[in-house]
Structure formats: C-alpha cells, structure tokens
Amino acid sequence: MSQRQVLQVFEQYQRARTQFAQAVAELASRPQNIETLQNAGVISLLRPLLLDVVPTVQQTAALALGRLANYNDDLAEAVVKGDILPQLVCSLSEQNRFYKKAAAFVLRAVAKHSPQLAQAIVQCGALEMLVICLEDFDPGVKEAASWALEYIARHNSELSQAVVDAGAVPLLVLCIQEPEIALKRIAASTLSDISKHSPELAQTVVDAGAIAHLAQMILNPDAKLKRQVLSALSQIAKHSVDLAELVVEAEIFPVVLTCLKDSDEYVKKNGATLIREIAKHTPELSQLIVNAGGVAAVIDCIGSCRGTVRLPGIMMLGYVAAHSENLSMAVIVSKGIPPLCACLLEEQEDHIKAAAAWALGQVGRHTPAHARAVAVANVLPTLLAMYVDTRSSEDLQMKTKKALKNILQKCTYLPALEPLLHDAPPNIMKHIVGQFSKVLPHDSKARRLFVTTGGLKKVQEIKAEPGSLLQEYINTINNCYPEEIVRYYSPGYSEMLLERVENYHPVL
Amino acid sequence: MAALARLQARLSGLREEYFRRNRSVDEYRKIEYKAAVKIQSWFRGCRVRAYLRYLRKMTIVIQKWWRGYRSRRYFRKMVKTAYFIMKMNFYNEMAVRIQKRWRGYYVRKYIHNYYALKKYLEAISVNNEIIRSELQKYTEMKENEEKRKDLEKKEKEKQYQARKMHYLLSTEQIAGIYNSPFRKSPDPMELLLRKSKPLSHRRQQKKSPFACELHDWPTCKRPPSFSTAQPLPCIGRQKPQGPFRDPAEVLRQRYKPLEPTLRVAASISSPLEKAREEMKREEWRNRVHDNEFLPFSSYHKNEKYDPSIHRSGKYGQEAYGIKHFREVQPKKWVTDKDFRTVLPSIVLFEKFGKTYSRTGQIV
C-alpha cells in the first residue's frame, strides 16, 4: 500500500462527511423532509459532526441543526436535550466567522420557540459568547448574533434583563451605526424587543444613547429598517412620560409624519403607533403633536389605508381628544370625524370598530359643541345599531355604550337625537330623553319642532317606571306643553274620546 | 296690831281669794299661753316676713342692676357683631363682585380666550393644510422616484436584452427581423441593437448542487490574505542632489521585512502554558462521547421486515422468483407431455436402437 492509497481512504471519508452534512442541510430546508430526517436520528448524527476536524463540515452541520431547530419546537427541544448547545457555545468564540454565523443561527432557531428554550440557551452561557460575537468584524456575524439576542429577549422581561446584563445594549447601539442595512435592521428590532418589557429596560436602552441614532434613521429609504426603527422608538416611548419626552426631544417631529405617507403598510402602522405612544402620556405631548400637524397626518393616514394599519391611528386620535377640550376641538377642526365614521362603517373586525367608537366618544364628550360636531356626522345611529346588534362582541357593545353615553350627555343638537328616540333601548333612552328635557323648556322653536316631528308622541309611548329618572325627564318634557296636546299624543286617547262619544247624552 | 288683826280677819278671805285667783289664773293659763304664742308667732312672723321682704327687695334691686348691666353689655356686643356681620357681608359681596369681574377677565384673556382659541384652531387648520400639502409633495416625490427607478430598471433590462439579441441586427445584405423592408423606418429595437454592444460569451459558472449559502463560504481553501505584493519602485526619479543615499537603497531600507528579535518572536506565554493549551486543544479535538451513539446502520434492527408483495401472499409463499421465473398453469396444458421439438432430428440418433443392421443385429 502506498502512502497515496492510505491518504485516499481519509480523503474519501472526509468527502463523505462533507457530502452528508451538506445533503442534510439541504434536505432540512424543506419542511416535508423534516419528519423523515428526525426518524432517521439526524440530530444524534449531526452532533459528532459539530466537533469535526474540518471546519466546513462543522459549519454545515450547524446549519443543518439550525434549520431543523427552526422547524418546530420539538426539534428545538431535541437540540437542547441532546447537549448540543454547550458544544456550540464553547466553539462559538474560537471558530471562524462562518461557524459563528451558523452557531448563532442554531441558537436563534432554538430560542425563537418558547421562553423555556430561550432560558436553556441563557443557562448554558450563550449570551456572553453572543455578545462577544457582536464585537466581531464581520457584519454577518454581528447580524446573526444580534438576531439570536433578539429572539432571546423578546420572550419576557427576565430574559431581556439577562441580555441587558450581558452588556449587549451598547454594542447593539454601535451596530445601529454600522453601514450595513441588514445589520441596522436587526439591531433596531433587538433594541425594540429589549425595551418593550419594562421602563427600566427601556431606560437602559436610552442610557446607551440609542434614541439619537434611531431618530436619525427615520428618513432612511429602506422600508424594513424604518419599520424596526419606528417600532423601537415606540417601544421606548410607551413606558413613561420621561421616556416619551426623551424620544420627542430627539426631534422626530415632523420627520416621523412622512412615515405616515409611506408606501409600506407596516411603516405606516409603526409610525402611527409611535405617535400614539407619545400622545397618550400627557396633554402637553399631545399638544406638541397637534401643533406639529401630527393629527392631520394621522387622519390622512387613517383615510388612506384599511384594516389593522388604521388601529394605532384611531387610538391616537382618541388619546389626543381625551386629554382636553381644546385638543378634542383640534381633532374636529382637522376633519378627524369623517375618517373615524368611515372606520366605524367599513371595518369588519370588532376591535377596530370598538376603537373607533371609543375615539368618537372621547372626541364628543367634552362640550355641546364637540357633541354637536360628532352628532352632525350621523354617527349616533351607527353606534346605536352596533350597540343593539347581537353579533357585536361584548367589548364593542361596551365601548359603543360608553361612547353613546358620553356624547348624548353633552349633545344638545336635537335633530340628531330625534331618530334615536325610535329604536333606543331603555338605558340609552334615559340619556336621550334627559337631553330633551334639558333643552325643551328653554327653546320654543325646538318645542314646536319636537311636536311636529312626532317626538312627543314617541315620548308618551315610553313606559317608564314611576319615580325613575326617566319618568322625571318625561314629566319635565310634558310640563313644557299644554295638557291637551300631551293628552292628545298619549296612547289610548282615541279610545277615550270614543268612550266619551258613547257616554254622551245628546241634548235635544 | 290691828292691821295684823285685820289681816288675820281677812286671812281666810285672802286664802280663798288666793285660791280663787290661782284657780282663775290656772284656768286661763293655757288660753293665755296660747294667745301669747299666737301673738308672738304672729309678731315674729311679721318680723321675719318683713325681713324677707326686705331681703327680696334688695335682691331684686341687685339683680335688676346686674341683669340690666349684663344685658346691656350683651346687647352692645350683639349689635357690634351684627354690625360686623353686615359689614363683612357687604365686603364679601363687593369682593365677589371684584373677583367675578377679575376672574372673568382673566379667564377670558388668558385661559379660555375665545378669540385666541378660535385663532389657535384656525392656525391648526392652516398648519394642517401645510402639513398635508407637504406630505402630498413628499409622496409624489417618492412616487416619482419609484417610477424613475422602475423606468431605469426597465431600460437596463431592455439594453441587456438588446445586447443579448445583438445577432438580430440587420446587415448590409439581409434585413433583420426588426428592420422590415416593408416599413418606412426600422423598429426602435433595431436602433437599440445598433447602439448596443454584443454580449460577450458568458463564462459558465460552476454551480454547486447545494445552497448558495454553502457555495460562497470559502471553506478555508482560500484563507483571507492581505496583499503582500511589493510596492512599486518609484518611477524614474533621479537621485536628489546632495549627500543622500541611493533611492533604491533607501526604499529597500524602508520596506524591509520585519526581523523580530528572538525575545520578541517568542510567545508571551510560558512553555508550560503552551503545552497545557495544546493538551487542552487536543482533548477538545478528541473528545470522547459516553453517550450511546446510534448509527444509521443499526437503525434497521428495530424495524420489522416488510416482505414484498409476491412473498406475502395470502396462501403462503409463491414459488415464483424462487424456483422459477415463468408462470406455470398446468390446467391450461393441452397435454401432459412436453411439446415436441420441431427441429429436424439427427437421423442417426433417431434410429439408434431401432434399426437393424444389414446383418440383422440391433445397432
């Protein structure tokens, strides 16, 4: 046997290993093969290959494992139980960038499924290694590490805190400043996932100076990056007034309003979410947004899109209007009511309708002027129809009821109230009749109109319990009219007249 | 003595008198006593009553004065209070009047200034208009950009297509398909073809059968290397005048490779540490697994053998494939005998044992 022949054996063996690893990696990328691979015991076969002498085989084995773990949580658990993670973590720091990428991919694929799996990754000390990877030269490695960190941090605040404790945040902030778009995207979304859990975590992100860099990237032409940046900013701003003010101080207005006109739906949604998270805290912040023209932009945004993209915008209008009557008036002046009505009518899903109803209630609840503006848009019958509709969800019914109550208690615009008299349930009727009883004693024209449009008749037909509030209101209304008219419109009056005719003895 | 005699004479009378008198006194004593008591009681009563009357009168005087004094004092106080209250009411009323005016003024001016609010709302609507128009402009700009990009892309595509189809260009003799002789002017594509250069023959890219991710991983065959090319020597520079060295010599000096001293070249870590590290690495490389490793080759042991269709017949094994490969159906046989061969027999063998020789013996 010559030396060549001996070496040939090794070469063949190496080639076979490489081929096996590559084939498995290739097969694992198709979901229909996973079952078969698992039945063939692929994980225990790939495990030794992770420690192979040839880097290519290692990398490919890691890639295959990652794809398997990515498929479902059972496989991910199998990877965890198979003691593969310690191997990966050990070799993560000393291998080349391709291996690092693949290993980070495995970690990410495992962590994405559940908090327990992510916890398992944290327990085997992967965070430190991932943070070291964030300092790598290669943007691909950074991206993979950042992605893995994101999947770990997104589950709950403890895991997020673990990521923060590992010192990832300053490095992520550095990653945002890299020129590669993909890395920026993932770093931004990682920051978003870290800061979404608690004010303390958000404060950590802010302390690392993330806001300034994030705010700069709002104007980036890349839509996906914009999504992540806006999401990160809104996750930071949502926790407290201080954080929201810090976000505002980064001069995101009026730049962020351009995002509401973006062609990408998610950019619109996240932009509206950011504005909502800022507006919800204090009247001052809302005022700032109103002054920057944010309300008009949001209203346009609501008008131009459909579905869940509208939701944050609708809620933002509600929050702004809830703060004070001036802000509510600003929403009205910015022509905010027609789009909200359109949402109420067009949307299919109950939660969006509920949000629109809530927002309208907030707009209309301040003064009669506000309520009038809402009532003129013919919202009240729609709200009432939704309230009495049995198919509406409980939440929607509650929201519509509250909105109706808020608006009706301030509404003095009688023409809008009249149609409601015909088909309102008693608990709403109370408020409607109450408004009539407040207005009619002071307005002679309205009294006349009330009779001619048949309102008085309708009021007489209401069966109220004696002594109740409703009865009191009805009495107040009746007192505004001469007795004959009231009796004329009372039900059963014609029979009474006929009876009188029968009992009448003609005088001859 | 006469007197005595007279007395003596009168003694009995006297005695009688005495007795009588005593008796009458005794008789009236009780009445008198009672009368005396009555008189005394009356008198004393009068006296005490008079005294009491006197006392009461005095009391009344005192009380009258005292009460009068007190009431007057109280009245004065009451009047003062009433006056004070009246004054305060008046002041309050005035204060309310002032505050009313002031507050109304203040609120109207600073807090709920109707005109300011109106102006503010107007300003907001104007601002909204501006923002809306600006955003509109922004979107238009974006759209234009997008369109332009699309156009550019299409143009590029077209050019690439033209380069690819450059062979369709018409020649002097033969008109191309875009240059129909029945038309007045050639197709725009023809013009494009004329302008574009033909695409050079593309080098075949060797494709790996696996994913592109694997493909572009340099699998440590070509490690990333820094350029180690020698710097180019300077071009035609004369040796500068003066006591300078030859430029080539200077450059050689400048770019000579690093020659570290032994001290520097040696590793920082001690040989012991190095050896340990080496051992560690060795260990890491040849890590022993105690866990059971189930290779794929033994996987079949757990599985039940699945016979083929032909072997798993309902009525036991079939002979087909084991004993013969041709189907045998004895029912259809016409005869039990084998078919006879139709080949012409060898005459000599046919006749073997059946013919006689000339000599009458069986052959």
Side-chain angles (χ1 to χ4, degrees):
Chain A
M1 284 265 191
S2 68
Q3 194 189 3
R4 200 177 64 84
Q5 277 168 319
V6 174
L7 286 180
Q8 203 173 15
V9 172
F10 283 93
E11 201 185 319
Q12 266 177 358
Y13 179 49
Q14 178 174 335
R15 208 181 294 136
R17 281 189 330 250
T18 317
Q19 215 171 13
F20 173 73
Q22 286 184 345
V24 168
E26 176 69 9
L27 290 171
S29 63
R30 289 185 182 76
Q32 67 266 28
N33 296 334
I34 302 271
E35 192 71 40
T36 323
L37 285 174
Q38 173 62 14
N39 288 341
V42 69
I43 288 187
S44 50
L45 280 175
L46 284 175
R47 198 182 144 201
L49 290 184
L50 278 180
L51 297 171
D52 205 276
V53 282
V54 185
T56 326
V57 178
Q58 284 183 17
Q59 291 153 22
T60 325
L63 184 72
L65 271 177
R67 284 179 178 167
L68 286 169
N70 203 15
Y71 176 65
N72 67 11
D73 52 343
D74 290 337
L75 277 168
E77 205 168 327
V79 169
V80 172
K81 289 273 165 65
D83 276 342
I84 287 168
L85 296 179
Q87 289 176 19
L88 277 174
V89 171
C90 286
S91 42
L92 195 56
S93 56
E94 25 197 310
Q95 291 278 347
N96 67 2
R97 57 201 173 114
F98 303 106
Y99 184 77
K100 280 180 186 173
K101 247 197 252 181
F105 171 58
V106 177
L107 293 177
R108 181 183 105 206
V110 172
K112 107 179 177 182
H113 294 291
S114 74
Q116 286 77 28
L117 289 170
Q119 184 68 40
I121 287 178
V122 173
Q123 271 164 1
C124 67
L127 285 179
E128 285 70 27
M129 294 303 146
L130 286 171
V131 169
I132 291 170
C133 284
L134 278 183
E135 287 178 292
D136 205 281
F137 291 115
D138 185 44
V141 173
K142 283 188 199 174
E143 193 184 319
S146 169
W147 208 340
L149 286 174
E150 181 200 338
Y151 277 25
I152 293 171
R154 67 164 23 160
H155 289 295
N156 57 34
S157 61
E158 284 80 32
L159 288 168
S160 236
Q161 187 65 49
V163 171
V164 169
D165 290 343
V169 174
L171 293 171
L172 286 170
V173 172
L174 283 178
C175 285
I176 302 179
Q177 303 166 45
E178 297 284 328
E180 289 81 12
I181 293 283
L183 179 57
K184 279 183 176 193
R185 258 185 230 162
I186 287 166
S189 79
T190 310
L191 288 176
S192 163
D193 276 328
I194 289 175
S195 54
K196 80 178 175 188
H197 294 292
S198 74
E200 291 75 29
L201 290 167
Q203 187 65 48
T204 329
V205 172
V206 171
D207 288 344
I211 289 183
H213 300 295
L214 287 172
Q216 276 176 359
M217 287 190 292
I218 291 177
L219 274 179
N220 200 297
D222 186 70
K224 282 180 186 160
L225 176 59
K226 264 200 269 190
R227 283 182 204 172
Q228 303 299 350
V229 164
L230 292 169
S231 145
L233 284 175
S234 56
Q235 299 290 9
I236 290 171
K238 80 175 181 185
H239 292 292
S240 71
V241 183
D242 296 335
L243 290 169
E245 274 171 2
L246 283 174
V247 171
V248 169
E249 274 166 23
E251 294 184 349
I252 57 167
F253 288 104
V255 180
V256 76
L257 301 182
T258 56
C259 297
L260 297 176
K261 280 281 182 184
D262 206 275
S263 51
D264 188 272
E265 294 279 288
Y266 285 95
V267 172
K268 272 187 190 178
K269 187 176 172 186
N270 288 356
T273 313
L274 173 57
I275 298 177
R276 179 191 77 191
E277 298 300 347
I278 292 170
K280 78 176 183 188
H281 288 296
T282 62
E284 287 76 25
L285 286 171
S286 291
Q287 182 97 49
L288 186 132
I289 291 169
V290 169
N291 292 353
V295 170
V298 169
I299 288 167
D300 282 3
C301 171
I302 291 176
S304 66
C305 53
R306 297 273 170 280
T308 48
V309 185
R310 278 172 161 178
L311 187 62
I314 294 170
M315 287 176 73
M316 181 262 172
L317 291 181
Y319 279 129
V320 168
H323 282 307
S324 81
E325 51 178 299
N326 288 354
L327 290 171
S328 176
M329 198 40 114
V331 172
I332 293 171
V333 165
S334 317
K335 307 187 186 76
I337 292 178
L340 283 176
C341 298
C343 291
L344 210 54
L345 292 171
E346 286 168 11
E347 288 303 328
Q348 307 295 327
E349 290 184 54
D350 274 356
H351 66 275
I352 301 177
K353 281 191 207 169
W358 171 77
L360 283 168
Q362 297 301 332
V363 172
R365 66 163 203 180
H366 294 286
T367 65
H370 294 84
R372 186 191 167 100
V374 176
V376 164
N378 207 17
V379 175
L380 298 178
T382 322
L383 283 176
L384 190 63
M386 274 176 196
Y387 175 54
V388 293
D389 192 355
T390 47
R391 281 169 299 170
S392 312
S393 67
E394 201 173 312
D395 180 52
L396 175 58
Q397 285 186 340
M398 217 176 68
K399 293 258 162 60
T400 46
K401 185 189 166 191
K402 244 191 189 148
L404 271 175
K405 203 171 142 185
N406 284 339
I407 299 168
L408 286 176
Q409 278 175 347
K410 290 290 176 192
C411 186
T412 56
Y413 182 64
L414 300 185
L417 291 181
E418 289 226 4
L420 302 185
L421 271 178
H422 294 281
D423 41 10
N427 52 351
I428 300 293
M429 186 64 85
K430 187 172 67 184
H431 301 294
I432 303 170
V433 178
Q435 288 312 110
F436 276 112
S437 76
K438 280 178 208 162
V439 177
L440 289 179
H442 309 290
D443 191 347
S444 59
K445 226 182 255 176
R447 279 201 292 271
R448 189 189 162 82
L449 214 65
F450 189 56
V451 175
T452 52
T453 54
L456 189 60
K457 191 177 173 201
K458 186 71 206 159
V459 166
Q460 301 310 322
E461 285 164 10
I462 297 170
K463 289 184 189 68
E465 285 175 31
S468 64
L469 209 57
L470 183 55
Q471 185 62 49
E472 243 170 67
Y473 290 144
I474 293 174
N475 289 345
T476 319
I477 294 176
N478 289 349
N479 289 341
C480 305
Y481 291 97
E483 207 178 330
E484 297 90 48
I485 265 216
V486 173
R487 253 197 284 152
Y488 177 72
Y489 282 115
S490 318
Y493 182 65
S494 49
E495 280 93 59
M496 215 168 70
L497 276 182
L498 287 174
E499 221 167 89
R500 269 178 68 187
V501 167
E502 275 176 21
N503 296 341
Y504 189 72
H505 298 294
V507 186
L508 292 172
Chain B
M1 276 316 272
L4 190 58
R6 255 182 283 152
L7 271 178
Q8 287 271 335
R10 273 174 56 193
L11 194 59
S12 59
L14 271 178
R15 204 172 275 162
E16 213 164 289
E17 179 102 23
Y18 176 72
F19 177 74
R20 211 181 56 233
R21 280 195 190 178
N22 261 357
R23 211 174 71 178
S24 68
V25 165
D26 276 347
E27 266 176 16
Y28 290 106
R29 174 167 293 155
K30 207 159 190 186
I31 297 164
E32 278 172 4
Y33 174 73
K34 276 186 181 167
V37 165
K38 199 164 254 174
I39 292 164
Q40 278 177 3
S41 71
W42 177 79
F43 178 72
R44 282 185 189 154
C46 278
R47 211 174 58 181
V48 168
R49 270 192 287 277
Y51 182 62
L52 280 176
R53 205 162 44 241
Y54 170 74
L55 274 186
R56 195 185 300 134
K57 220 181 252 164
M58 290 303 109
T59 323
I60 284 171
V61 168
I62 293 169
Q63 284 183 346
K64 187 173 78 188
W65 280 101
W66 172 243
R67 286 186 182 156
Y69 165 72
R70 233 181 41 179
S71 301
R72 273 186 286 281
R73 207 176 57 176
Y74 176 67
F75 173 72
R76 270 199 295 278
K77 222 165 149 185
M78 222 167 60
V79 165
K80 223 183 243 174
T81 322
Y83 177 63
F84 182 76
I85 287 170
M86 206 177 74
K87 225 164 52 177
M88 280 322 285
N89 280 347
F90 179 71
Y91 288 157
N92 281 344
E93 206 175 301
M94 292 302 115
V96 164
R97 212 179 273 180
I98 295 168
Q99 285 172 359
K100 194 167 75 181
R101 289 298 163 96
W102 164 247
R103 284 188 184 156
Y105 167 74
Y106 182 78
V107 164
R108 273 188 286 279
K109 176 145 185 167
Y110 295 107
I111 294 173
H112 192 82
N113 189 347
Y114 177 73
Y115 296 101
L117 181 65
K118 214 167 163 186
K119 223 190 268 173
Y120 172 66
L121 291 176
E122 261 166 34
I124 280 182
S125 45
V126 169
N127 190 20
N128 284 347
E129 283 311 311
I130 294 168
I131 288 281
R132 276 180 174 139
S133 63
E134 259 176 34
L135 287 180
Q136 193 59 38
K137 249 188 258 167
Y138 172 78
T139 36
E140 272 165 19
M141 195 181 77
K142 276 264 157 149
E143 268 169 22
N144 285 344
E145 217 166 279
E146 203 93 323
K147 263 185 209 159
R148 212 193 49 206
K149 260 186 197 162
D150 268 4
L151 268 181
E152 267 172 22
K153 205 173 163 192
K154 263 183 203 160
E155 192 66 25
K156 239 181 184 173
E157 193 99 328
K158 219 170 170 186
Q159 272 174 9
Y160 177 73
Q161 211 63 22
R163 286 182 68 190
K164 242 171 112 177
M165 302 195 300
H166 192 262
Y167 57 86
L168 294 175
L169 187 69
S170 51
T171 56
E172 291 277 335
Q173 296 299 320
I174 307 165
I177 59 164
Y178 292 118
N179 191 12
S180 168
F182 304 110
R183 281 203 200 162
K184 261 185 241 165
S185 59
D187 197 83
M189 192 64 188
E190 172 72 18
L191 300 177
L192 195 64
L193 283 178
R194 264 182 219 165
K195 267 190 282 177
S196 54
K197 264 199 303 187
L199 201 61
S200 61
H201 188 67
R202 201 160 42 144
R203 199 169 294 147
Q204 276 293 324
Q205 279 183 343
K206 209 179 149 192
K207 271 212 160 177
S208 128
F210 301 108
C212 54
E213 274 164 276
L214 295 172
H215 174 71
D216 58 16
W217 287 7
T219 49
C220 288
K221 281 177 200 152
R222 284 175 286 133
S225 57
F226 300 101
S227 73
T228 51
Q230 291 291 319
L232 292 173
C234 39
I235 302 160
R237 190 191 282 177
Q238 295 294 319
K239 178 175 176 287
Q241 201 178 5
F244 298 123
R245 285 176 183 276
D246 185 45
E249 199 182 338
V250 171
L251 276 176
R252 218 178 303 131
Q253 184 71 19
R254 169 77 180 75
Y255 290 112
K256 75 173 179 191
L258 179 68
E259 288 170 18
T261 62
L262 266 183
R263 210 182 150 75
V264 175
S267 164
I268 295 174
S269 52
S270 65
L272 187 66
E273 257 177 41
K274 240 169 134 183
R276 270 187 197 151
E277 201 164 307
E278 185 57 36
M279 268 170 68
K280 235 187 194 169
R281 210 173 290 152
E282 189 69 30
E283 204 182 356
W284 179 77
R285 217 179 282 138
N286 308 328
R287 200 173 277 164
V288 178
H289 292 283
D290 296 335
N291 298 351
E292 191 187 6
F293 172 63
L294 285 173
F296 188 60
S297 56
S298 67
Y299 192 71
H300 67 273
K301 282 178 189 165
N302 304 329
E303 262 188 350
K304 224 180 82 185
Y305 175 66
D306 212 10
S308 74
I309 291 174
H310 300 294
R311 293 190 51 92
S312 65
K314 204 174 172 186
Y315 306 106
Q317 267 188 15
E318 255 185 70
Y320 174 80
I322 297 170
K323 290 179 184 156
H324 57 88
F325 287 98
R326 190 181 285 176
E327 225 161 316
V328 181
Q329 291 168 326
K331 277 181 194 168
K332 292 185 179 175
W333 287 356
V334 182
T335 169
D336 290 341
K337 277 186 239 167
D338 280 352
F339 289 110
R340 285 175 60 189
T341 50
V342 289
L343 287 170
S345 53
I346 299 169
V347 179
L348 181 64
F349 292 164
E350 281 298 279
K351 285 180 180 168
F352 180 73
K354 289 176 187 170
T355 49
Y356 302 95
S357 66
R358 252 172 253 150
T359 52
Q361 281 178 343
I362 297 169
V363 180

